[in-house]
Amino acid sequence: MSLQITPISPALGARVTGVDLSLPLSADHHQQLHQALLDHQVLFFRNQPLQPASQARLAAYFGDLHIHPIYPNVPEQPEVLILDTERNDLRDNALWHSDVSFLKTPALGAVLSAKQVPPYGGDTLWASSSAAYDGLSEPLKRLLDGLTATHDLSKSFPESRFAVTDEERSRFEEAKRRNPPSSHPVVRTHPVTGRKGLFVNEGFTTRINELPELEGDAILRLLFSHATQPQYTVRWQWQKDDVAFWDNRITQHFAIDDYRPQRRIMHRATILGDAPF
Ligand SMILES: O=C(O)CCC(=O)C(=O)O
Ligand SMILES: [Fe+2]
């Protein structure tokens, strides 16, 4: 059985039908999903209710799963983290980021399942880092070649908001100890497709290591705004039981925070990747 894959935006994003994600994947569907992810960078599925165990099983076809140091998780399935506006401070997802880029081996991708969504609002945007790189001028590409940048967990999880109670503080200190800042190339090569993409993000990138602060900050600001121009993005309007599966090596995303005080609940399984080069 072939999947039906329908692109929904020129830069990235496709809708996929013809598969039941709650069941074990056939080798054929696994291969087709993998290829579709490489081709389209973010895949969207409607009407795919997933229990935490089947969500983790689906994600684990693509690599080892990450257990998040700060977000709460489903107790019986700790690889599935909970993004619930009544439990978490999620303001930092309303900022362009690629997930856990502060790790030495940031996420390959993630599977996000919509559990409860407002009737409208709470859309999520993704941007293609390869489209953004391709759109840079040649002189700027030459300047960036060979530069590295620092990615720091504390930028998106500031102590002032994530270490308020004693319990939060000890969890936060532990998270910082286990996750010191990492350095990654500013231009990353996708390990499978060989495509180049910008690998800096407003959520976690703090500096360009080889440049003085003033120059580095100005270049980072330029890259953050260049990479998230509308023509490099796709926007998804969620319905309950939608699933999004993105390649975190070559995209970043932004969850719009425009629906309060309504509640919104998402579950995420995060797949570990390799060290960027
Ligand atoms: O809530 C969303 O739509 C996405 C949140 C997010 O940044 C993530 O799950 O990685
Ligand atoms: Fe995210």
Side-chain angles (χ1 to χ4, degrees), residues 23-264:
L23 300 175
L25 287 181
S26 65
D28 189 32
H29 275 171
H30 177 210
Q31 195 279 330
Q32 288 183 55
L33 278 181
H34 185 234
Q35 191 58 49
L37 186 70
L38 297 175
D39 293 343
H40 301 286
Q41 304 185 343
V42 55
L43 306 177
F44 302 104
F45 307 80
R46 292 269 191 220
N47 197 19
Q48 299 270 358
L50 288 181
Q51 292 305 311
S54 32
Q55 185 175 358
R57 177 178 59 201
L58 171 66
Y61 280 104
F62 300 89
D64 292 336
L65 303 186
H66 175 244
I67 297 183
H68 201 276
I70 292 178
Y71 285 132
N73 50 38
V74 175
E76 65 282 7
Q77 197 72 57
E79 309 90 340
V80 174
L81 67 80
I82 302 168
L83 301 168
D84 175 348
T85 46
E86 290 200 352
R87 288 184 59 176
N88 322 123
D89 183 346
L90 298 172
R91 276 174 286 174
D92 302 290
N93 286 334
L95 184 69
W96 284 100
H97 66 281
S98 69
D99 290 332
V100 293
S101 70
F102 53 83
L103 297 179
K104 297 263 176 298
T105 56
L108 174 157
V111 174
L112 189 65
S113 164
K115 300 295 163 196
Q116 181 176 331
V117 290
Y120 55 87
D123 296 357
T124 307
L125 295 134
W126 280 261
S128 167
S129 312
S130 53
Y133 176 78
D134 294 346
L136 288 172
S137 66
E138 291 304 321
L140 198 51
K141 284 183 189 164
R142 281 198 294 277
L143 170 74
L144 299 179
D145 206 25
L147 296 180
T148 63
T150 299
H151 298 245
D152 189 339
L153 158 151
S154 316
K155 192 175 179 198
S156 265
F157 297 101
E159 191 169 327
S160 55
R161 286 192 283 117
F162 287 88
V164 178
T165 65
D166 282 351
E167 195 194 320
E168 283 170 356
R169 170 162 299 279
S170 65
R171 190 171 164 95
F172 184 79
E173 292 301 332
E174 171 81 0
K176 278 215 322 201
R177 215 166 34 74
R178 288 176 178 242
N179 298 276
S182 296
S183 284
H184 300 303
V186 169
V187 178
R188 178 177 188 180
T189 303
H190 192 288
V192 185
T193 65
R195 288 189 76 175
K196 287 186 173 182
L198 278 178
F199 195 65
V200 289
N201 70 83
E202 198 168 3
F204 296 115
T205 311
T206 52
R207 58 178 304 241
I208 297 185
N209 299 325
E210 296 79 8
L211 298 181
E213 198 175 318
L214 187 69
E215 291 182 15
D217 283 353
I219 302 274
L220 282 177
R221 272 202 308 282
L222 167 66
L223 296 179
F224 296 157
S225 47
H226 169 79
T228 55
Q229 292 175 85
Q231 70 270 29
Y232 303 138
T233 70
V234 64
R235 177 170 177 154
W236 187 250
Q237 259 179 299
W238 294 97
Q239 296 173 8
K240 182 177 181 298
D241 294 326
D242 282 356
V243 169
F245 179 18
W246 65 91
D247 188 333
N248 193 64
R249 300 167 292 192
I250 201 83
T251 61
Q252 41 178 327
H253 53 278
F254 184 116
I256 303 173
D257 180 15
D258 60 355
Y259 50 88
R260 283 157 204 283
Q262 296 177 91
R263 190 173 183 185
R264 183 175 179 277

